[in-house]
Amino acid sequence: MTIHQLCILGSTGSIGKSTLEVVRLHCDKFNVVSLSANSSVELLVEQCKEFMPKTVVLASIEHVQKMQQRLHDEGLNGIDVKSGEHSLVEVAQSSDVDTVMAAIVGASGLMPTLAAVKAGKRVLLANKEALVTSGAIFMSAVKESGAVLLPIDSEHNAIFQCLPEKQQSKVGECDLLENGISKILLTGSGGPFRTLPNSELDQVTPDQACAHPNWDMGRKISVDSATMMNKGLEFIEAKWLFNVEADDIQVVLHPQSTIHSMVQYKDGSVLAQMGNPDMRTPIAHALSYPERIDSGVAPLNFFDITSFEFQAPDFEKYPNLKLAIEACKAGQAACTALNAANEIAVDAFLNEKIKFTDIFKINETSVKKFVSQHVGNINEVIALDKNVRNFAATLIEKFSENISDSVVQKVSK
């Protein structure tokens, strides 16, 4: 029996923690070789105590020092502690590892995920930004190295499961039309503001935006779900994973989050993957593919389901979704710019520097400025990403000043 040697990039985030929950159920099938975290030292220590990795990577030297001291306190002196992007790349491409869970949120996960691909690993892709920021470059590396790419996003994993078996082995090179598939139906819940009047969106708080009705996710992804930028990024990702054009993908609002996505065939059939909204299901599927293992998730009880609702997305409520679809059609520079600006804008919103509705304004302005940039290699991707972030940051300063002026005016009255 093969025991997979795991590297989990982003082990203290929601996907990383769910991955370790599945691994915990199958200790005979998986060995954790390396873990990484941004700054969550205490949680990483607990993970080390249970799974005993050889190496852990943190963001900074300061966090490395804290981690080393905590491991020493726990008598775990044999674990190597490193920091920085170069160390993430190192563990991702290590010969000790055959499977990499790419779960670092944002563009910071691009280089280690790409390193795992170039090393020919079995890559479980939860970092959607890798494909959004560098789609053609990333998929070219997959093809060249022979890496196995398995999607973790519940929607893409659902689409993958609904494909013919021979197309599942051709991620990035699928020929869906030749296999009788006419459309990919990408479902989304609509987030916490689906029924909120559009006129009230500029007053919502970060805590309200992070209160997703169905899924338990990190704060950044939760805000993306509220704006439906998450679905927009998934739209772009689906184009590259399944080798389709934007017109071959349709977004469908499904508030119950029970149908995770669908594939429509030419004969009128629609295949859907269903289950309770829990990321352990797609994680377990990808970890064990092509076999099936227990995920720890309860089976779907159809007698508890009152209804299935489906709606077309309202682009006035979700302008970020429309912007992402337009970026997908416009090309790589637009997609790279969109992702970079959105990361900066969401962070500013979470820190109450801008309004919820300002996220779109910053994203749209950034995409328009950089859409014509040439992006032909990974260095140009990184350079564009940096330039967009700087530009978006200057926009946020202006929006923040406006908010401060507004607050002063209200207080003075």
Side-chain angles (χ1 to χ4, degrees):
M1 179 180 62
T2 300
I3 299 177
H4 287 292
Q5 307 298 316
L6 291 179
C7 165
I8 303 178
L9 301 173
S11 67
T12 59
S14 60
I15 296 295
K17 289 187 288 187
S18 293
T19 301
L20 289 173
E21 287 183 34
V22 176
V23 169
R24 185 178 293 118
L25 296 175
H26 305 280
C27 295
D28 59 326
K29 294 180 172 63
F30 305 102
N31 178 46
V32 177
V33 176
S34 50
L35 301 172
S36 85
N38 182 32
S39 58
S40 301
V41 170
E42 289 304 319
L43 178 53
L44 189 58
V45 169
E46 293 303 310
Q47 292 176 346
C48 287
K49 288 166 64 177
E50 180 176 2
F51 296 99
M52 295 299 296
K54 292 182 180 179
T55 308
V56 296
V57 181
L58 289 120
S60 70
I61 294 295
E62 178 186 356
H63 291 110
V64 165
Q65 293 171 343
K66 291 180 180 179
M67 187 70 186
Q68 288 173 329
Q69 182 60 53
R70 288 291 293 111
L71 290 177
H72 176 74
D73 294 343
E74 296 290 343
L76 300 174
N77 297 313
I79 298 175
D80 193 12
V81 186
K82 300 181 178 182
S83 69
E85 183 181 271
H86 65 285
S87 296
L88 289 173
V89 168
E90 185 180 299
V91 296
Q93 63 187 13
S94 169
S95 59
D96 293 337
V97 167
D98 60 57
T99 302
V100 176
M101 169 58 80
I104 296 176
V105 175
S108 58
L110 171 59
M111 295 309 292
T113 305
L114 187 59
V117 165
K118 289 182 175 180
K121 304 299 183 185
R122 178 183 171 101
V123 179
L124 281 52
L125 188 65
N127 174 279
K128 60 175 60 64
E129 291 81 6
L131 280 176
V132 172
T133 59
S134 59
I137 298 166
F138 190 90
M139 294 314 303
S140 177
V142 171
K143 182 177 181 181
E144 185 175 340
S145 69
V148 176
L149 194 62
L150 296 168
I152 295 298
D153 269 347
S154 61
E155 296 81 1
H156 301 114
N157 182 267
I159 294 163
F160 179 91
Q161 293 194 52
C162 293
L163 295 179
E165 184 177 353
K166 61 182 178 180
Q167 294 303 302
Q168 293 179 347
S169 64
K170 297 180 179 180
V171 170
E173 299 181 273
C174 302
D175 192 341
L176 300 190
L177 186 62
E178 286 297 314
N179 283 269
I181 295 171
S182 58
K183 194 174 287 292
I184 285 173
L185 303 174
L186 191 66
T187 61
S189 69
F193 305 136
R194 182 178 59 87
T195 60
L196 187 74
N198 293 359
S199 60
E200 298 179 23
L201 288 171
D202 65 341
Q203 299 300 318
V204 301
T205 67
D207 285 343
Q208 288 173 320
C210 291
H212 195 282
N214 302 328
W215 294 92
D216 180 15
M217 305 181 292
R219 287 176 71 80
K220 192 270 181 182
I221 297 176
S222 295
V223 173
D224 282 347
S225 179
T227 64
M228 283 203 76
M229 176 59 82
N230 205 37
K231 205 56 48 185
L233 298 179
E234 289 168 6
F235 188 101
I236 298 168
E237 190 180 6
K239 165 188 165 60
W240 293 110
L241 284 172
F242 306 114
N243 193 30
V244 294
E245 298 301 323
D247 290 341
D248 300 321
I249 309 169
Q250 181 179 351
V251 176
V252 180
L253 291 194
H254 170 53
Q256 291 76 26
S257 297
T258 304
I259 296 176
H260 298 137
S261 273
M262 300 171 278
V263 172
Q264 179 177 301
Y265 284 79
K266 289 191 292 187
D267 62 5
S269 300
V270 176
L271 299 189
Q273 188 270 337
M274 303 171 65
N276 285 313
D278 192 311
M279 287 305 300
R280 288 176 295 172
T281 298
I283 289 169
H285 172 266
L287 278 172
S288 62
Y289 181 81
E291 299 176 2
R292 297 272 181 170
I293 59 174
D294 179 19
S295 67
V297 179
L300 192 64
N301 186 340
F302 284 90
F303 301 112
D304 290 339
I305 300 171
T306 56
S307 65
F308 286 141
E309 297 176 66
F310 304 98
Q311 303 166 6
D314 174 2
F315 288 130
E316 289 189 12
K317 182 182 291 289
Y318 305 114
N320 280 287
L321 173 58
K322 184 179 181 182
L323 182 63
I325 293 172
E326 291 171 347
C328 184
K329 296 176 180 179
Q332 188 59 71
C335 295
T336 303
L338 176 69
N339 180 76
N342 185 65
E343 287 191 21
I344 296 298
V346 170
D347 182 70
F349 168 67
L350 286 171
N351 287 286
E352 300 184 353
K353 295 179 180 179
I354 61 173
K355 296 179 180 179
F356 181 77
T357 48
D358 290 339
I359 295 173
F360 168 71
K361 296 173 185 176
I362 291 165
N363 291 343
E364 181 185 42
T365 304
S366 300
V367 170
K368 285 182 177 179
K369 180 171 178 62
F370 293 97
V371 65
S372 61
Q373 293 284 313
H374 176 72
V375 183
N377 57 56
I378 198 64
N379 291 329
E380 290 175 348
V381 167
I382 293 170
L384 176 58
D385 179 87
K386 181 179 179 180
N387 289 338
V388 175
R389 288 171 189 271
N390 290 337
F391 177 74
T394 62
L395 292 178
I396 286 166
E397 289 180 11
K398 295 177 182 177
F399 280 97
S400 298
E401 290 171 2
N402 291 338
I403 289 178
S404 298
D405 291 344
S406 175
V407 171
V408 170
Q409 290 172 7
K410 287 181 180 178
V411 171
S412 64
K413 288 180 180 180

